[in-house]
Amino acid sequence: MDEIITQYFPHLSEKQRHQFNQLPQLYHELNEKVNVVSRKDIDNIGINHILHSLAIARYLNFTPGSTVIDLGTGGGLPGIPLAIMFPEVHFHLIDRVGKKVNVAKEIAEALGLENVSFQHGDMGECKIQADFVVSRAVTDQPTLIKISKKNISKQHRNALPNGLITLKGGDVSGELGKYASISEVVPVSNYFSEDFFKTKKIVYTPVT
């Protein structure tokens, strides 16, 4: 894991490198108890899930002091890899499935992460104001905007206006609807060379 991550993120601290090295084994162990990653795909956790999550870190370097909500985090993806990458940013991880939230908690505790919080429930119950909401393979962009808009702060501190950043696969043009003209769609292959990323996209929509 260390070689893959440091290839794309060469300036990590020793602590961060150690945390990333721990992640695959933690997911392997906990996935035996709770299926947060397809058992057919768990051996590809490093590239298909951890590195994929970090595409957001290549797209936007979050400003220290920012707050990011990971909506539909499952077992902590993309939130936990991003929390390792940005130790001075707070990540709030939300999921409706309690046992998946518990997996994310266990991983965060094992890694010693102090910049994460967790919520078992849905976005309607969340009172946190965030700079960005991130999400990976949850639902379409307009639906995510509708349910998260109230949680996106009006105060901007990052290089991009506050909004929604999602990780998606395939052609996303049909799902953006009225947001197509203001959204940015970026191939993940711009950042990572592995074949897995050829059809993957980052979609960013500012939310005002």
Side-chain angles (χ1 to χ4, degrees), residues 2 19 22 26 31 47 60 78 81 85 89 101 110 112 117 126 134 139 147 150 160 164 170 176:
D2 179 56
Q19 288 170 323
Q22 288 179 281
L26 287 168
N31 211 61
I47 290 174
L60 179 62
M85 187 62 66
V89 173
V101 174
S117 54
C126 181
V134 299
T139 187
I147 62 179
K150 70 178 179 60
L160 292 174
L164 175 70
L176 293 176

Side-chain angles (χ1 to χ4, degrees), residues 101-147:
V101 174
N102 289 336
V103 167
K105 281 183 181 178
E106 283 193 56
I107 291 173
E109 288 170 6
L111 295 174
L113 292 176
E114 298 179 351
N115 60 328
V116 289
S117 54
F118 301 90
Q119 179 185 330
H120 171 210
D122 60 38
M123 198 67 170
E125 302 163 332
C126 181
K127 307 300 183 187
I128 289 175
Q129 289 289 291
D131 299 276
F132 290 91
V133 172
V134 299
S135 194
R136 181 174 182 257
V138 173
T139 187
D140 63 86
Q141 201 85 346
T143 299
L144 288 169
I145 292 169
K146 181 179 179 181
I147 62 179

Side-chain angles (χ1 to χ4, degrees), residues 22-207:
Q22 288 179 281
L23 261 189
Q25 187 59 37
L26 287 168
Y27 273 111
H28 270 276
E29 291 172 1
L30 291 168
N31 211 61
E32 292 294 322
K33 304 173 187 176
V34 179
N35 190 23
V36 295
V37 174
S38 166
R39 290 196 167 91
K40 295 179 181 179
D41 202 34
I42 190 64
D43 288 338
N44 302 312
I45 185 75
I47 290 174
N48 295 12
H49 299 275
I50 297 170
L51 187 60
H52 188 205
S53 296
L54 293 174
I56 293 173
R58 290 295 299 269
Y59 179 70
L60 179 62
N61 185 19
F62 293 114
T63 301
S66 297
T67 296
V68 178
I69 295 173
D70 178 6
L71 176 55
T73 188
L77 298 163
I80 285 177
L82 291 173
I84 297 172
M85 187 62 66
F86 298 105
E88 296 181 356
V89 173
H90 182 77
F91 291 86
H92 185 67
L93 280 55
I94 302 175
D95 203 276
R96 289 179 174 177
V97 182
K99 60 185 180 180
K100 291 185 177 181
V101 174
N102 289 336
V103 167
K105 281 183 181 178
E106 283 193 56
I107 291 173
E109 288 170 6
L111 295 174
L113 292 176
E114 298 179 351
N115 60 328
V116 289
S117 54
F118 301 90
Q119 179 185 330
H120 171 210
D122 60 38
M123 198 67 170
E125 302 163 332
C126 181
K127 307 300 183 187
I128 289 175
Q129 289 289 291
D131 299 276
F132 290 91
V133 172
V134 299
S135 194
R136 181 174 182 257
V138 173
T139 187
D140 63 86
Q141 201 85 346
T143 299
L144 288 169
I145 292 169
K146 181 179 179 181
I147 62 179
S148 64
K149 188 173 184 177
K150 70 178 179 60
N151 296 93
I152 297 177
S153 172
K154 305 297 183 188
Q155 297 181 327
H156 304 286
R157 72 180 96 201
N158 286 270
L160 292 174
N162 296 353
L164 175 70
I165 303 173
T166 55
L167 292 166
K168 295 181 177 290
D171 182 11
V172 299
S173 57
E175 77 165 61
L176 293 176
K178 65 180 181 179
Y179 298 105
S181 63
I182 62 168
S183 297
E184 182 175 30
V185 179
V186 180
V188 175
S189 58
N190 285 6
Y191 307 125
F192 305 140
S193 62
E194 286 77 8
D195 286 346
F196 174 76
F197 300 113
K198 286 182 177 178
T199 61
K200 305 301 180 185
K201 307 287 195 310
I202 288 176
V203 184
Y204 160 67
T205 307
V207 178

